[in-house]
């Protein structure tokens, strides 16, 4: 099985500028594959595969690739708006992680929000709870997760599977009336989900966004400590088969430095990606790609390229990473245009065993505002790479759609 997760945070700048998007460069080996859009706002945040004909992608919806086409499946618990006596209620989900074990066994995690409104536009109630969903070969259903105390607020972000009986989910837990923030680790042992909470011990907060494993005693989680998009620092944690511990990781620049995704290939070969910022607020500078590598002893920064930057607006962000092999690794996200319009386009990079290089990637947005982002990827077989994300679908530049690009010859070109 293969799993990839995306980070939960992303800068989305919607401006009024008009932009005519350029098509992908002719030399790109990636092609946009048609994907359905079940809701008015969509986007894919995570993807996993048990084979080339059994791939699940999740976000605001759940969809499956059967080797021929992508098809949506109902998200358990979601309900369309129902109105009675002037009170309207609807339930929607955002799924941030997925693990595809087999055609009859898959998992997804995230959050589910119930919104209640009345005829008074100022009167509404919104409640959000974590959700675990399971696929049994026929349908998705909500699966019981760990129990928490009343008032606790758990959040689930990343998911990885070592086997059908060994699955990890990472996130955070806010408890004690909102006064205690903890790292949250949920584990499936084949029978039930259990939770472990470890206080972050940082007054400015700390958050885990993604997780990956190459063995039961070699599981890695990444994120950041401190105020997000301010002066945050990179965060790495490791599970050795017994306990979770923080492992020192370098941060770059004086501003925000954050890891959004991780890919564990072997005990001495783990990659993490995100972004760094040269200067601290209130000074301004574009964010830069950040790639770090674990060699079995320590984490080090590996030089990675950027688009530009030719202005303070041209930020580069890596949201995800996936590996075909130790010498064929892909990192992806988005880069903003230098003109300050807020337009951003897909960013795709390849590691060939020696260096990172930018690879051409499609930007399929057809509307007035270019806003294409790659969040997660999976390689279900050698030479077969899928990367998913979001794009702006409508001509007004207001509604996000699902995005999937595919290559059967993904090597650098």
């Amino acid at each position: 099985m293969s799993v990839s997760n995306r980070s939960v945070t992303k800068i989305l700048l919607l401006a009024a500028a008009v932009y005519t998007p350029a098509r992908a460069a002719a030399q790109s080996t990636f092609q946009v594959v048609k994907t359905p859009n079940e809701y008015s706002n969509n986007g894919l945040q995570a993807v996993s595969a048990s084979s080339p004909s059994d791939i699940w992608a999740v976000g605001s919806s759940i969809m499956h690739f059967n080797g021929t086409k992508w098809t949506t499946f109902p998200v358990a618990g979601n309900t369309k708006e129902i109105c009675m006596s002037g009170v309207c209620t609807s339930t929607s989900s955002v799924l941030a992680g997925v693990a595809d074990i087999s055609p009859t066994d898959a998992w997804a995690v995230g959050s589910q929000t119930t919104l209640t409104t009345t005829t008074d536009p100022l009167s509404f109630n919104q409640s959000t709870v974590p959700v675990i969903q399971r696929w049994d070969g026929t349908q998705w259903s909500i699966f019981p997760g760990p129990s928490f105390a009343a008032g606790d607020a758990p959040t689930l972000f990343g998911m990885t599977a070592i086997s059908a009986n060994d699955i990890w989910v990472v996130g955070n837990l806010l408890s004690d009336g909102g006064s205690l923030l903890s790292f949250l680790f949920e584990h499936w042992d084949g029978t039930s989900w259990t939770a472990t909470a470890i206080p972050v011990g940082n007054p400015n907060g700390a958050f885990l966004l993604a997780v990956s494993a190459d063995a039961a005693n070699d599981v890695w989680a990444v994120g950041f400590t401190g105020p997000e998009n301010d002066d945050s620092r990179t965060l790495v944690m490791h599970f050795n088969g017994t306990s979770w511990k923080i492992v020192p990781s370098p941060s770059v620049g004086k501003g925000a430095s954050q890891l959004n995704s991780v890919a564990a290939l072997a005990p001495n070969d783990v990659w993490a990606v995100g972004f760094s910022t040269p200067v601290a607020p209130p000074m301004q500078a574009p964010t830069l790609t950040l790639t770090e590598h674990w060699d079995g002893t320590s984490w080090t920064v590996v030089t990675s390229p950027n688009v530009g930057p030719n202005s303070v607006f041209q930020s580069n962000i890596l949201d995800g990473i996936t590996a075909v092999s130790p010498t064929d690794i892909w990192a992806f996200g988005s880069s903003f245009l230098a003109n300050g319009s807020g337009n951003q386009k897909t960013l795709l990079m390849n590691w060939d065993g020696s260096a990172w290089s930018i690879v051409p990637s499609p930007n399929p947005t057809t509307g007035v505002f270019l806003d294409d982002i790659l969040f997660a990827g999976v390689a279900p077989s050698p030479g077969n790479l899928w990367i998913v994300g979001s794009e702006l679908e409508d001509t007004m530049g207001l509604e996000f759609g699902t995005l999937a690009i595919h290559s059967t010859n993904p090597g650098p070109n």
Side-chain angles (χ1 to χ4, degrees):
M1 83 210 74
S2 301
V3 179
S4 180
N5 303 307
R6 51 86 60 182
S7 72
V8 76
T9 52
K10 193 74 177 82
I11 302 173
L12 298 175
L13 301 177
L14 296 179
V18 174
Y19 179 78
T20 303
R23 293 299 176 182
Q27 65 268 32
S28 176
T29 65
F30 287 84
Q31 302 295 324
V32 176
V33 178
K34 184 178 180 180
T35 51
N37 287 293
E38 186 176 7
Y39 304 107
S40 59
N41 274 299
N42 298 267
L44 298 175
Q45 300 184 6
V47 63
S48 179
S50 70
S51 74
S53 59
D54 181 32
I55 306 173
W56 288 100
V58 301
S60 301
S61 59
I62 297 179
M63 61 182 60
H64 183 262
F65 184 74
N66 64 0
T68 303
K69 67 176 183 178
W70 288 95
T71 305
T72 57
F73 282 74
V75 180
N78 276 15
T79 60
K80 294 183 178 180
E81 187 175 65
I82 301 174
C83 297
M84 294 182 63
S85 303
V87 178
C88 299
T89 302
S90 63
T91 301
S92 60
S93 300
V94 176
L95 300 173
V98 63
D100 189 354
I101 310 299
S102 73
T104 59
D105 190 12
W107 296 87
V109 298
S111 62
Q112 201 157 63
T113 299
T114 299
L115 177 64
T116 302
T117 61
T118 68
T119 53
D120 180 356
L122 299 180
S123 176
F124 70 93
N125 180 68
Q126 180 175 298
S127 62
T128 300
V129 296
V131 65
I132 299 176
Q133 306 216 356
R134 190 176 194 182
W135 169 258
D136 62 4
T138 302
Q139 65 180 2
W140 286 91
S141 58
I142 294 177
F143 196 91
S147 297
F148 296 93
D152 285 0
T155 306
L156 307 179
F157 292 149
M159 187 177 211
T160 191
I162 298 100
S163 69
N165 300 324
D166 193 358
I167 304 174
W168 285 97
V169 175
V170 300
N172 285 85
L173 175 65
L174 192 62
S175 60
D176 291 358
S179 63
L180 179 62
L181 180 65
S182 299
F183 300 118
L184 178 61
F185 305 94
E186 296 192 3
H187 184 254
W188 170 257
D189 62 3
T191 302
S192 63
W193 286 95
T194 55
T196 300
I198 302 174
V200 302
N202 187 323
N204 294 317
F207 302 87
L208 293 173
L209 304 179
V211 61
S212 180
D214 64 84
N217 61 351
D218 195 30
V219 188
W220 293 89
V222 300
F224 64 94
T225 64
E228 183 181 14
N229 299 323
D230 193 330
D231 58 357
S232 56
R233 303 285 86 186
T234 63
L235 170 66
V236 175
M237 297 189 72
H238 180 254
F239 181 74
N240 62 4
T242 303
S243 61
W244 285 92
K245 294 183 178 179
I246 293 176
V247 178
S249 59
S251 295
V252 177
K254 295 182 179 181
S257 192
Q258 176 174 315
L259 296 174
N260 292 328
S261 187
V262 59
L265 286 72
N268 63 349
D269 192 5
V270 185
W271 287 90
V273 300
F275 66 89
S276 66
T277 313
V279 298
M283 298 179 66
Q284 292 185 329
T287 62
L288 305 173
T289 62
L290 176 61
T291 61
E292 300 191 4
H293 183 256
W294 171 261
D295 62 3
T297 302
S298 62
W299 284 93
T300 57
V301 174
V302 179
T303 301
S304 55
N306 292 274
V307 177
N310 297 314
S311 77
V312 69
F313 305 108
Q314 197 167 21
S315 286
N316 291 251
I317 301 172
L318 294 177
D319 288 303
I321 186 170
T322 193
V324 178
S325 72
T327 57
D328 189 9
I329 301 172
W330 295 83
F332 34 83
S334 66
S335 63
F336 285 82
L337 271 62
N339 60 12
S341 64
N343 293 133
Q344 58 184 323
K345 58 183 181 179
T346 58
L347 174 62
L348 184 58
M349 303 191 330
N350 177 255
W351 171 262
D352 62 3
S354 300
W356 286 99
S357 60
I358 294 177
V359 176
S361 56
N363 287 285
T365 285
T366 56
V368 299
F369 194 91
L370 177 63
D371 205 337
D372 297 344
I373 311 168
L374 300 175
F375 285 127
V378 66
S381 62
N384 183 4
L385 181 61
W386 286 91
I387 303 176
V388 301
S390 67
E391 60 162 326
L392 278 184
E393 274 292 310
D394 68 320
T395 57
M396 297 298 293
L398 299 175
E399 295 183 353
F400 286 92
T402 58
L403 171 62
I405 64 175
H406 180 239
S407 178
T408 55
N409 180 31
N413 41 71

